[in-house]
Amino acid sequence: MTATASGTGPSTGTGAPDERLLRTSPLRRLLGRPELGSVVGAVAVFVFFAFAADSFLNASSLATVLYASSTIGIMAVPVALLMIGGEFDLSAGVLVTTSALVSSMFSYQMTANVWVGVGVSLLVTLAIGAFDGWMLTRTKLPSFIITLGTYLMLTGMNLGFTKLISGTVSTKSIADMEGFSTAHDLFASTLTLGGVDLKVTVLWWICMIALATWVLLRTRVGNWIFAAGGGKDAARAVGVPVARTKIGLYMGVGFGAWVAGQHLLFSFDVVQSGEGVGNELIYIIAAVIGGCLITGGYGSAVGSAVGALIFGMTSKGIVFAEWDPDWFKFFLGAMLLLATLLNAWVRKRAEATA
């Protein structure tokens, strides 16, 4: 059975066409994409700074923008998936610092190859993510409360353990330890492509976008994520393993924090225990600008990447334009409001044409 040439589809026996076989116009599909609003915003920001800052279009400047975007985007991708699943993680920013601190202090104190510390750090961040997800599903408390508690605990632990072990608020240098150079190559190296220096974090970011997009759009797990975010009770009623899905999403945030934390450590070989506070809001902002709904059940990994790119263009564009950086937060807040309004308008248009 095939659709008719007019696109009305075959009859269902009642004289009405089967809506499941109706052809969807390219415009309607485009309006239905959650990242459409953020793409329009990204183009506008790019054009604006291309005129406002003479050096913005230089290859080296664009590479700097991509690097700034990738450091946000690596975390924005799993945070976006978590938001699509209907939850938040307010501990994501300090979890990045925890990842770096665990790797550094374990390697230094145990005089082990730094790869041992890297492996332990991965286990710790995944365990923290699993703990958040388990607490959420067992207690039924809002994710805001659960992760706010984790945020406060990690903030205190980061500072307390660092001062207890190192005697200061920063870790000891591990640059001369075995395995540092290979770990640096994986997490913090610079690649030269076409005469332009790009940080390896850009490749990590691209890989995470591709993997997350594949999971969301091509796997059963992706259906579970959307269903759990759209309505967990209804999803559970049709057999979706909501608890396991949410735990897995929090572990995904833990994995992103591990990657970002290792980059932080191997870029500077020491870590300040107070870093990361407030970054969780930046990750959430990138996801929201990218089209994720606060209420869950809607969004995309690509949208979060575009949101991170807007953040990177704005933060570095202000510098290239030689403006007062004190105004950065103002522009960030304005972008958040405008993007949210644009995303809401796009979604209404998509529903109206559906």
Side-chain angles (χ1 to χ4, degrees), residues 98-325:
T98 300
S99 166
L101 290 172
V102 169
S103 183
S104 177
M105 289 192 290
F106 190 91
S107 299
Y108 186 86
Q109 295 300 318
M110 300 299 175
T111 62
N113 187 300
V114 297
W115 281 105
V116 177
V118 169
V120 171
S121 176
L122 175 60
L123 294 177
V124 169
T125 52
L126 291 178
I128 293 173
F131 170 78
D132 283 342
W134 180 82
M135 286 289 292
L136 177 77
T137 57
R138 294 291 293 180
T139 64
K140 310 301 182 182
L141 289 173
S143 56
F144 175 86
I145 299 298
I146 298 292
T147 58
L148 179 60
T150 307
Y151 160 81
L152 294 173
M153 289 189 293
L154 289 179
T155 302
M157 289 174 60
N158 287 350
L159 179 60
F161 273 115
T162 305
K163 293 184 71 174
L164 179 65
I165 294 174
S166 302
T168 64
V169 295
S170 64
T171 61
K172 305 293 184 181
S173 174
I174 61 170
D176 59 347
M177 295 188 65
E178 183 180 357
F180 182 89
S181 60
T182 54
H184 178 273
D185 290 342
L186 181 61
F187 295 107
S189 61
T190 300
L191 308 174
T192 302
L193 299 175
V196 179
D197 292 336
L198 286 177
K199 288 289 188 179
V200 72
T201 50
V202 176
L203 296 183
W204 276 101
W205 183 33
I206 293 173
C207 290
M208 293 184 70
I209 296 168
L211 177 61
T213 300
W214 175 76
V215 169
L216 279 178
L217 302 182
R218 293 290 183 265
T219 71
R220 182 170 55 179
V221 174
N223 293 332
W224 292 348
I225 294 172
F226 281 109
K232 60 182 179 181
D233 292 332
R236 190 178 291 109
V238 297
V240 174
V242 174
R244 281 188 293 155
T245 299
K246 290 183 182 288
I247 291 173
L249 289 172
Y250 274 104
M251 292 179 71
V253 174
F255 177 78
W258 173 71
V259 174
Q262 302 316 295
H263 170 70
L264 177 66
L265 171 61
F266 292 106
S267 292
F268 305 103
D269 77 68
V270 295
V271 184
Q272 298 289 328
S273 59
E275 292 187 37
V277 175
N279 284 352
E280 61 281 344
L281 296 179
I282 294 175
Y283 308 145
I284 293 173
I285 288 171
V288 172
I289 289 176
C292 291
L293 292 183
I294 299 293
T295 53
Y298 189 80
S300 71
V302 173
S304 73
V306 178
L309 183 61
I310 291 175
F311 184 94
M313 287 192 293
T314 304
S315 62
K316 298 305 176 183
I318 289 175
V319 175
F320 296 142
E322 299 181 351
W323 295 348
D324 187 348

Side-chain angles (χ1 to χ4, degrees), residues 27 30-34 36-38 40 293 298 337-353:
L27 178 59
L30 179 63
L31 288 174
R33 294 302 305 166
L36 175 61
S38 61
V40 173
L293 292 183
Y298 189 80
L337 290 176
L338 290 174
T340 303
L341 292 173
L342 181 59
N343 290 336
W345 179 81
V346 168
R347 194 178 186 210
K348 287 180 180 179
R349 293 284 297 175
E351 292 174 348
T353 58

Side-chain angles (χ1 to χ4, degrees), residues 285 289 327-340:
I285 288 171
I289 289 176
W327 287 92
F328 170 66
K329 291 293 179 65
F330 170 82
F331 285 106
L332 187 61
M335 279 194 308
L336 175 61
L337 290 176
L338 290 174
T340 303

